[in-house]
Amino acid sequence: MKTKQKIIGSVVILVMLIIFLVIGLNLNKSKNLKLNEDDIFVESTFNENNQKNEEKIITVYIKGEVKKPGVYRLKYGSIVEDLVKEAGGFTDEINPDSKLNLAKKLKDEDYIYVDKKTDNANNIKSTGILNGVASENNKIDINTATIEELDKIPGVGAVTAQKIVDYREKNGYFNSIEDLDKIDGIGKKTIDKFKDIIDIR
């Protein structure tokens, strides 16, 4: 009788161990499945965002020494070189010393001006433009100028130049030169000092 009870007890313990093992395996599978689903979701979201950016179209304007100046619609992520190709390439009148940055990534509503042979000396002397991006009258365009270009304006340092760019990104383009008065550190007297070398398009 005791032997029979021992056998039954052993069988019960064995069955319980098997049940615990089965439950443990199922729980582990569920965790792995959940992790895989999360990974797929993250990867899917990333791919969707990339696809949206690739499909995005920007509108940019190029003028100056290109064969077909005008407004062009390009894919998001395009650079200045892509825009120049779309515009038929440079003319023979382009300044060989032009500092136009062909690798610069374009943004929506960018304005690119390619200077002539006679433009470059005037640009450097009167405006400090370094990469050939300027308004049509060779003044610094405060709506498109980089921090480096704005830093060249008398009375504007690197800190104020950054404030101008930050304001532009937050509020959009300036409607007039006088709007610079809204930026901390720039007053009407300061604007009067450099209003002859800045412009807006």
Side-chain angles (χ1 to χ4, degrees):
M1 188 73 176
K2 288 182 179 179
T3 304
K4 190 175 180 181
Q5 286 178 344
K6 285 181 180 180
I7 293 171
I8 293 171
S10 298
V11 170
V12 170
I13 292 170
L14 184 62
V15 170
M16 288 178 69
L17 282 173
I18 292 171
I19 290 171
F20 282 128
L21 281 172
V22 170
I23 291 172
L25 286 172
N26 284 336
L27 285 173
N28 196 32
K29 263 187 189 178
S30 297
K31 285 181 181 177
N32 287 337
L33 182 61
K34 187 174 181 182
L35 283 172
N36 288 336
E37 286 175 351
D38 289 342
D39 290 343
I40 291 168
F41 177 74
V42 170
E43 185 178 349
S44 175
T45 304
F46 178 76
N47 288 337
E48 283 176 9
N49 289 337
N50 275 354
Q51 188 175 0
K52 283 180 183 177
N53 281 339
E54 287 173 3
E55 292 172 355
K56 187 178 176 182
I57 299 296
I58 59 173
T59 304
V60 290
Y61 178 40
I62 186 168
K63 197 167 183 180
E65 294 311 308
V66 287
K67 293 176 182 176
K68 296 185 291 182
V71 176
Y72 290 88
R73 292 168 63 79
L74 300 173
K75 289 181 180 179
Y76 176 87
S78 296
I79 58 177
V80 173
E81 184 180 29
D82 298 324
L83 176 59
V84 171
K85 286 178 181 177
E86 286 292 318
F90 297 119
T91 69
D92 295 334
E93 293 299 313
I94 182 176
N95 193 319
D97 297 322
S98 173
K99 304 296 182 182
L100 185 65
N101 184 1
L102 295 176
K104 180 183 177 183
K105 189 175 179 180
L106 292 166
K107 303 188 299 295
D108 194 34
E109 298 183 0
D110 264 353
Y111 170 58
I112 304 298
Y113 178 75
V114 183
D115 57 343
K116 296 180 182 179
K117 291 177 181 177
T118 55
D119 284 348
N120 197 54
N122 292 333
N123 283 350
I124 294 174
K125 184 177 179 182
S126 63
T127 65
I129 289 173
L130 300 178
N131 65 2
V133 180
S135 60
E136 188 178 354
N137 57 7
N138 294 331
K139 293 183 178 181
I140 295 179
D141 185 346
I142 59 173
N143 278 335
T144 58
T146 63
I147 293 173
E148 291 77 14
E149 291 163 358
L150 292 168
D151 189 20
K152 298 294 179 180
I153 301 172
V156 175
V159 175
T160 305
Q162 182 65 61
K163 288 180 182 178
I164 293 172
V165 172
D166 291 343
Y167 178 92
R168 199 170 63 197
E169 290 177 353
K170 183 179 179 181
N171 302 287
Y173 285 165
F174 295 98
N175 294 316
S176 68
I177 294 171
E178 285 70 27
D179 281 348
L180 286 172
D181 189 28
K182 297 175 183 177
I183 296 173
D184 184 37
I186 300 181
K188 291 181 180 179
K189 290 183 179 179
T190 307
I191 295 172
D192 287 339
K193 289 179 182 178
F194 54 70
K195 68 179 180 180
D196 291 333
I197 62 171
I198 63 172
D199 197 6
I200 59 171
R201 65 177 176 90

